[in-house]
Amino acid sequence: MNKKWWMESVGYQIYPKSFYDTNDDGIGDLPGILEKLDYLKMLGVDLIWICPFYDSPMDDNGYDVRDFFGVSKEFGTMEDIKNIIQKAHEYGMRIVLDYVLNHTSDEHPWFIESKSSKDNPYRDYYIWSEGKMVDGVLHEPTNWGSFFGGSAWNYDKTTDSYYLKIFSNKMPDLNWKNPKVREEMIEVAKKWLDLGVDGFRIDAVSHLDKAPFVDAEAKPGEKYPLDYFKFSNQPMVHPYLKELNQKVFSSYDAVTIGEVGGSASIEEGIRYSAFDSHELSMVFSFDHNWCNNIFEINHPKFLKTDVVKLKQAFNMWQTSLKDIGWVPLNWFNHDQPRLISHYGSKKYPLQSGKMLATVLHLMRGTPFIYQGEEIGMTNYPFEDVSDFNDISSISSYQHHLNLAPDDPVSALRIAGMRSRDNARTPMQWTSGFFAGFSTVKPWLKVNPNYRKINVERLLKDQDSLFYHYQKLIALRKSSQYKDVILWGDFILKDREDQDHFTYLRNYQDNTLLVINSFSQSKTYYDLSKYQILDTLIHNQKKIKIKDQKILLKPYESIVFAVKEKS
Ligand code: GLC
Ligand code: CA
């Protein structure tokens, strides 16, 4: 295997709007990131992914880009991003930006041209189609639903046609079939790489090619079914990515992490990211994201982590890409709930938080921490639909309310548990006003638990979650176990065990045994096959071994260096 710099990195994802506000307007900004680089350095991460800060009308908090080469006024200036790159590089950190290539804002000059007339030179930059006449009524070209609810098409009266938009109305999809679009987007990537960035997280990358415009199958009464396979992993996406790789990424030694979401099977994942595909360095999949029956509110195990399913999800990516590719390791991002609220425990937040961190950071791949995860931030206790800011949370609330109009409480509960706003509440820095995020009321409410959960407090406590993350990173970066953590094979143990997530890592003469309990009760794990040589990291004070069994407290997690007995 050809070793690459990014295989040895530890990533940290920043959502700029919610990270740190330096100019008292309640909105996080680029100077805020610059100021907190010392904090990140102390944590030990060295690959910073910054979510979009480009000029944008902010329909989707910046994923609706109006100018790929400009910085939004609310986030700062071009100088600010240059300063971040420079200081990060001085610190030995790399910077990765979000590369949003599937769509633009409807306020992007290309779209303004495109919609102005059918013969405008920019017309084919986007995907236009005539409506369908059914019984004298004009309909969308297909019944496809969009990710954010409603139709995937929007009508534009100037030319009496529809444009495709798989996210919001204000985010028209670019037409990647058009070579001019590909050239333009290649220029975007080059421009940022020339400025010194080290790579990209590539937004919504699996959607670049679309299926022929044929209706999706609908359930009775369903007007716009969301069949995202109509615009995911369609065949041409691969040649497009090979072209990008060949014309841009490969000449810069840039890292590229594609967001392929839940639509990509492992076979697709291999197509995107195997070393010999020459497309992307790695892909973020979502297979491990929803292993707790969260979509079935009446399920007897609603919100209970399905440990077997979770292990299967990780194991599949770990083993299928062994030797032929590399994976990013992340729990969640800015589109998902908070880790502790989702897979952790309310009763044992510290132990479960440390355990979950260990599960992830001891696997093979490049770990990514989402801002606030290292201090155990939790979901927001939404009380009213007006607490939502995120466009998709609002439409999800309305969707559930339509299904059961007399049950607004459940609609709020369901939309709330999955809301992207959970991950976007301001970062909790101190126990002072607005959690030290800003001196004025922030754009989104601060989680009321900030007095307990904040950076300042955790830094004073040697036993805190923060230091557990710091230790995990140090083990990977500079300990005697570095090689086995980085390069060792991953072997899942006890697949059917619902209480424990246990695996081995093997490299040359080194073997690590990683034991994690997801149980709320005491359990034990049999160690008779192992001779224990060392303990790398543990989330309890004492190790209790009796009759060759380790007795585990709720959410206990421990990593041993072992020798397997023959
Ligand atoms: C990705 C982003 C998400 C955004 C969407 C459209 O899924 O992570 O935040 O809304 O793409 O750009
Ligand atoms: Ca600000």
Side-chain angles (χ1 to χ4, degrees):
M1 190 180 69
N2 222 340
K3 290 182 183 170
K4 298 279 192 185
W5 62 266
W6 38 264
M7 296 175 178
E8 300 186 38
S9 302
V10 178
Y12 188 93
Q13 182 192 352
I14 293 181
Y15 196 69
K17 199 168 181 179
S18 309
F19 195 56
Y20 186 54
D21 173 26
T22 56
N23 63 345
D24 313 316
D25 63 356
I27 297 172
D29 42 51
L30 294 180
I33 298 176
L34 186 69
E35 210 175 307
K36 296 295 183 186
L37 282 183
D38 289 295
Y39 165 75
L40 298 176
K41 190 166 166 31
M42 179 172 51
L43 178 59
V45 296
D46 57 1
L47 179 66
I48 316 290
W49 156 22
I50 308 176
C51 286
F53 49 78
Y54 314 108
D55 175 51
S56 159
M58 301 289 165
D59 187 52
D60 187 22
N61 281 328
Y63 278 95
D64 46 324
V65 182
R66 185 163 47 199
D67 176 4
F68 289 108
F69 303 116
V71 171
S72 155
K73 282 201 191 71
E74 63 184 60
F75 289 136
T77 63
M78 219 44 195
E79 272 320 294
D80 293 328
I81 185 69
K82 286 187 195 159
N83 291 338
I84 291 176
I85 296 169
Q86 197 197 340
K87 188 163 167 191
H89 287 172
E90 279 165 27
Y91 279 8
M93 296 171 163
R94 319 259 185 162
I95 297 289
V96 165
L97 303 185
D98 238 293
Y99 179 32
V100 187
L101 43 51
N102 176 68
H103 44 266
T104 68
S105 161
D106 65 341
E107 297 180 27
H108 193 289
W110 300 339
F111 190 72
I112 293 173
E113 291 290 330
S114 182
K115 71 175 189 179
S116 67
S117 77
K118 286 188 177 169
D119 51 14
N120 186 284
Y122 287 89
R123 185 66 171 180
D124 287 339
Y125 270 46
Y126 295 87
I127 303 169
W128 292 95
S129 180
E130 304 294 307
K132 228 173 26 191
M133 268 303 186
V134 183
D135 302 332
V137 185
L138 188 65
H139 282 266
E140 293 84 3
T142 67
N143 67 351
W144 299 358
S146 80
F147 284 112
F148 293 169
S151 170
W153 296 94
N154 197 36
Y155 178 72
D156 193 76
K157 63 175 182 311
T158 320
T159 56
D160 186 28
S161 339
Y162 290 83
Y163 60 87
L164 187 73
K165 48 97 206 169
I166 64 173
F167 292 97
S168 86
N169 284 350
K170 284 184 68 63
M171 298 157 83
D173 282 58
L174 283 164
N175 176 17
W176 272 74
K177 284 199 171 64
N178 182 347
K180 281 197 208 132
V181 166
R182 303 205 294 275
E183 285 308 319
E184 299 263 19
M185 292 314 294
I186 283 172
E187 287 313 307
V188 172
K190 276 194 180 152
K191 147 102 192 205
W192 286 102
L193 289 165
D194 286 338
L195 206 80
V197 309
D198 302 288
F200 300 108
R201 177 266 189 180
I202 310 187
D203 186 64
V205 74
S206 58
H207 309 311
L208 301 184
D209 185 24
K210 276 73 178 175
F213 299 153
V214 175
D215 275 352
E217 247 175 70
K219 294 192 196 109
E222 201 179 19
K223 196 165 172 202
Y224 301 119
L226 173 54
D227 174 2
Y228 47 67
F229 290 100
K230 293 274 191 257
F231 34 80
S232 301
N233 315 313
Q234 292 293 322
M236 284 307 287
V237 68
H238 297 289
Y240 297 155
L241 290 177
K242 288 190 205 309
E243 183 180 342
L244 277 173
N245 183 304
Q246 190 230 328
K247 293 190 176 160
V248 198
F249 306 144
S250 56
S251 17
Y252 291 82
D253 194 21
V255 64
T256 52
I257 316 129
E259 182 206 26
V260 300
S263 60
S265 61
I266 187 72
E267 290 75 23
E268 278 299 333
I270 291 172
R271 238 164 260 154
Y272 285 115
S273 64
F275 301 131
D276 64 2
S277 295
H278 303 290
E279 294 188 16
L280 302 167
S281 315
M282 330 175 226
V283 291
F284 280 123
S285 77
F286 295 170
D287 289 351
H288 61 281
N289 285 163
W290 310 109
C291 300
N292 61 356
N293 310 298
I294 193 173
F295 294 106
E296 294 159 83
I297 198 159
N298 295 319
H299 195 286
K301 294 195 171 160
F302 178 61
L303 290 187
K304 182 164 173 5
T305 308
D306 184 338
V307 182
V308 171
K309 194 169 164 196
L310 187 68
K311 289 190 286 193
Q312 255 166 19
F314 279 117
N315 185 48
M316 194 164 68
W317 288 85
Q318 287 284 309
T319 52
S320 307
L321 282 153
K322 174 180 178 281
D323 303 329
I324 61 162
W326 197 257
V327 292
L329 302 167
N330 81 319
W331 275 116
F332 294 114
N333 64 24
H334 64 293
D335 294 329
Q336 294 157 354
R338 284 284 178 180
L339 174 58
I340 299 276
S341 308
H342 199 72
Y343 288 148
S345 156
K346 249 199 182 128
K347 195 166 164 201
Y348 301 100
L350 179 63
Q351 302 316 333
S352 63
K354 289 182 177 179
M355 182 278 287
L356 291 163
T358 301
V359 166
L360 196 81
H361 284 247
L362 264 290
M363 286 194 260
R364 176 178 178 275
T366 302
F368 280 82
I369 299 167
Y370 178 66
Q371 72 182 36
E373 181 186 318
E374 77 281 15
I375 56 166
M377 282 178 65
T378 66
N379 281 356
Y380 185 86
F382 299 100
E383 282 171 355
D384 191 86
V385 58
S386 64
D387 288 339
F388 292 135
N389 166 279
D390 167 37
I391 173 170
S392 74
S393 309
I394 297 166
S395 74
S396 147
Y397 172 79
Q398 273 152 3
H399 170 76
H400 289 288
L401 197 60
N402 290 344
L403 294 178
D406 48 359
D407 193 3
V409 175
S410 295
L412 187 73
R413 185 155 171 249
I414 299 173
M417 271 177 328
R418 299 174 204 159
S419 172
R420 308 198 298 178
D421 284 328
N422 287 309
R424 301 175 183 187
T425 62
M427 177 76 180
Q428 295 163 207
W429 294 103
T430 70
S431 49
F433 286 120
F434 309 119
F437 163 75
S438 174
T439 55
V440 301
K441 194 169 168 225
W443 69 279
L444 191 63
K445 285 186 188 162
V446 174
N447 195 308
N449 63 19
Y450 72 93
R451 283 197 189 79
K452 220 169 112 196
I453 301 176
N454 64 67
V455 170
E456 185 184 51
R457 195 157 176 255
L458 268 72
L459 288 183
K460 287 186 192 142
D461 173 5
Q462 281 305 317
D463 187 41
S464 72
L465 185 60
F466 177 90
Y467 290 113
H468 190 84
Y469 272 90
Q470 191 188 52
K471 190 166 179 194
L472 285 167
I473 298 168
L475 279 171
R476 169 178 287 263
K477 299 222 73 117
S478 52
S479 76
Q480 67 182 108
Y481 299 105
K482 183 180 166 189
D483 283 338
V484 57
I485 296 175
L486 282 171
W487 316 116
D489 287 348
F490 170 95
I491 301 146
L492 182 66
K493 305 298 285 182
D494 319 296
R495 282 162 194 263
E496 300 305 322
D497 181 342
Q498 267 293 0
D499 288 330
H500 306 118
F501 191 152
T502 308
Y503 57 86
L504 291 174
R505 297 293 308 282
N506 264 324
Y507 186 73
Q508 296 171 350
D509 292 339
N510 280 300
T511 302
L512 301 182
L513 172 63
V514 184
I515 306 172
N516 299 287
S517 170
F518 276 75
S519 176
Q520 305 247 10
S521 329
K522 290 183 187 162
T523 57
Y524 65 87
Y525 189 82
D526 181 10
L527 293 176
S528 58
K529 289 196 219 93
Y530 306 100
Q531 180 194 345
I532 292 170
L533 308 174
D534 194 4
T535 306
L536 280 68
I537 191 163
H538 186 200
N539 70 349
Q540 296 288 346
K541 299 228 156 49
K542 282 195 195 124
I543 304 176
K544 287 195 185 159
I545 297 178
K546 215 175 137 190
D547 304 332
Q548 306 202 52
K549 286 182 182 123
I550 179 162
L551 305 175
L552 300 166
K553 288 191 169 166
Y555 298 97
E556 186 157 343
S557 158
I558 190 158
V559 182
F560 292 122
V562 297
K563 212 185 181 98
E564 288 184 80
K565 292 183 189 161
S566 41

Coordinates of all heavy atoms in Angstrom, one line a residue, residues 56 86 88 113 169 177 191 204 209 225 235 238 256 258 260 292 330 359 368 392-393 423 435 464 483 491 516 541:
S56 N -23.1 33.7 0.0 CA -24.3 32.9 -0.2 C -25.5 33.6 0.4 O -25.3 34.4 1.4 CB -24.1 31.6 0.6 OG -25.3 31.0 1.0
Q86 N -2.4 29.9 6.6 CA -1.0 30.1 7.0 C -0.7 29.6 8.4 O 0.3 28.9 8.6 CB -0.7 31.6 6.8 CG 0.8 31.9 6.8 CD 1.1 33.3 7.0 OE1 0.3 34.2 6.9 NE2 2.4 33.6 7.4
A88 N -2.4 27.6 10.3 CA -2.5 26.1 10.4 C -1.3 25.4 9.9 O -0.8 24.5 10.5 CB -3.8 25.7 9.6
E113 N -28.4 34.1 -15.4 CA -28.3 34.0 -16.9 C -29.1 32.8 -17.4 O -29.9 33.0 -18.3 CB -26.8 33.8 -17.3 CG -25.9 34.9 -17.1 CD -26.2 36.1 -18.0 OE1 -26.7 35.9 -19.1 OE2 -26.0 37.2 -17.6
N169 N -35.5 24.9 -3.2 CA -35.8 25.6 -4.5 C -34.7 26.6 -4.8 O -34.5 26.9 -6.0 CB -37.0 26.5 -4.2 CG -38.3 25.6 -4.3 OD1 -38.2 24.4 -4.7 ND2 -39.4 26.2 -3.9
K177 N -23.4 17.1 -17.3 CA -23.2 16.6 -18.7 C -22.5 17.7 -19.5 O -21.9 17.3 -20.5 CB -24.6 16.3 -19.3 CG -25.2 15.0 -18.8 CD -26.3 14.6 -19.8 CE -26.8 13.2 -19.4 NZ -27.4 13.2 -18.1
K191 N -8.4 26.9 -8.0 CA -8.2 28.2 -7.4 C -7.9 28.1 -5.8 O -7.0 28.7 -5.3 CB -9.4 29.1 -7.6 CG -9.8 30.0 -6.6 CD -9.4 31.4 -6.9 CE -9.5 32.3 -5.6 NZ -9.7 33.6 -5.8
A204 N -22.2 16.2 -1.4 CA -23.3 15.6 -2.2 C -22.7 15.0 -3.5 O -23.3 15.1 -4.6 CB -24.3 16.6 -2.5
D209 N -24.7 12.8 -11.5 CA -25.4 12.3 -12.7 C -26.9 11.9 -12.3 O -27.1 11.4 -11.2 CB -24.7 11.1 -13.2 CG -25.2 10.6 -14.5 OD1 -25.9 11.4 -15.3 OD2 -25.0 9.4 -14.9
P225 N -42.6 11.1 -4.2 CA -41.8 10.1 -3.5 C -40.3 10.5 -3.5 O -39.8 10.9 -4.6 CB -42.0 8.8 -4.2 CG -42.6 9.2 -5.5 CD -43.2 10.5 -5.4
P235 N -24.4 6.2 -13.5 CA -23.1 5.8 -14.1 C -22.1 6.9 -14.4 O -20.9 6.7 -14.2 CB -23.5 5.0 -15.4 CG -25.0 5.1 -15.4 CD -25.6 5.6 -14.2
H238 N -18.9 8.5 -12.2 CA -17.5 8.0 -12.1 C -16.5 8.6 -13.1 O -15.5 9.1 -12.7 CB -17.5 6.4 -12.1 CG -18.2 5.8 -10.9 ND1 -17.7 5.9 -9.6 CD2 -19.4 5.3 -10.8 CE1 -18.6 5.3 -8.8 NE2 -19.6 5.0 -9.5
T256 N -9.2 14.0 -0.8 CA -10.6 14.3 -1.2 C -11.5 13.3 -0.5 O -11.3 12.1 -0.5 CB -10.8 14.1 -2.7 OG1 -10.3 12.9 -3.1 CG2 -10.2 15.2 -3.5
G258 N -15.3 12.3 -0.2 CA -16.6 12.5 -0.8 C -17.8 12.1 0.1 O -17.7 11.1 0.8
V260 N -21.0 10.5 0.3 CA -21.8 9.6 -0.6 C -23.1 9.2 0.2 O -24.0 8.5 -0.4 CB -21.1 8.4 -1.1 CG1 -19.9 8.9 -1.9 CG2 -20.6 7.5 0.0
N292 N -30.4 2.7 15.5 CA -31.1 2.7 16.8 C -32.6 2.9 16.6 O -33.3 3.4 17.4 CB -30.6 3.8 17.7 CG -30.7 5.2 17.0 OD1 -31.2 5.3 15.9 ND2 -30.4 6.2 17.8
N330 N -15.9 8.6 11.2 CA -16.6 9.7 11.9 C -17.9 9.1 12.4 O -18.5 8.2 11.9 CB -16.9 10.9 11.0 CG -18.1 10.7 10.1 OD1 -18.3 9.6 9.6 ND2 -18.9 11.8 10.0
V359 N -14.2 3.4 20.6 CA -14.7 2.5 19.5 C -14.2 3.1 18.1 O -13.6 2.3 17.3 CB -16.2 2.5 19.4 CG1 -16.7 1.9 18.1 CG2 -16.8 1.7 20.6
F368 N -12.4 11.6 12.3 CA -12.9 13.0 12.3 C -13.7 13.2 13.5 O -14.6 12.5 13.8 CB -13.7 13.3 11.0 CG -12.9 13.5 9.8 CD1 -12.4 12.4 9.0 CD2 -12.6 14.8 9.3 CE1 -11.6 12.6 7.9 CE2 -11.8 15.0 8.2 CZ -11.3 13.9 7.5
S392 N -34.6 21.8 6.5 CA -35.1 20.4 6.4 C -35.8 20.0 7.7 O -36.7 19.1 7.7 CB -34.0 19.4 6.1 OG -33.1 19.2 7.1
S393 N -35.5 20.6 8.9 CA -36.2 20.3 10.1 C -37.6 20.8 10.1 O -38.5 20.2 10.5 CB -35.5 20.9 11.3 OG -34.1 20.5 11.3
A423 N -26.8 19.7 15.9 CA -25.4 19.7 15.7 C -24.9 21.2 15.5 O -23.7 21.4 15.5 CB -25.0 18.9 14.5
A435 N -22.6 31.0 26.5 CA -21.6 29.9 26.5 C -20.2 30.4 26.0 O -19.4 29.6 25.5 CB -22.1 28.7 25.7
S464 N -11.8 14.4 32.2 CA -12.9 14.8 31.3 C -12.8 14.1 29.9 O -11.8 13.6 29.6 CB -13.0 16.3 31.1 OG -11.9 16.7 30.3
D483 N 1.9 2.3 15.0 CA 1.8 1.5 13.8 C 0.6 0.5 13.8 O 0.0 0.4 12.8 CB 3.1 0.7 13.6 CG 4.2 1.6 13.0 OD1 3.9 2.7 12.5 OD2 5.4 1.3 13.2
I491 N -10.1 -6.9 13.1 CA -10.8 -8.2 13.1 C -12.0 -8.1 14.2 O -11.7 -7.9 15.4 CB -9.9 -9.3 13.5 CG1 -8.8 -9.4 12.5 CG2 -10.6 -10.7 13.6 CD1 -7.5 -9.9 13.1
N516 N -15.5 -2.8 24.3 CA -16.4 -1.7 24.6 C -17.7 -2.2 25.0 O -18.3 -2.9 24.2 CB -16.6 -0.8 23.3 CG -15.2 -0.2 22.9 OD1 -14.7 0.7 23.6 ND2 -14.7 -0.7 21.8
K541 N -11.7 3.7 36.8 CA -10.5 3.8 37.6 C -9.8 2.5 37.8 O -8.6 2.4 37.8 CB -10.9 4.3 39.0 CG -11.6 5.7 38.9 CD -11.0 6.7 39.8 CE -11.2 8.1 39.4 NZ -12.6 8.5 38.9

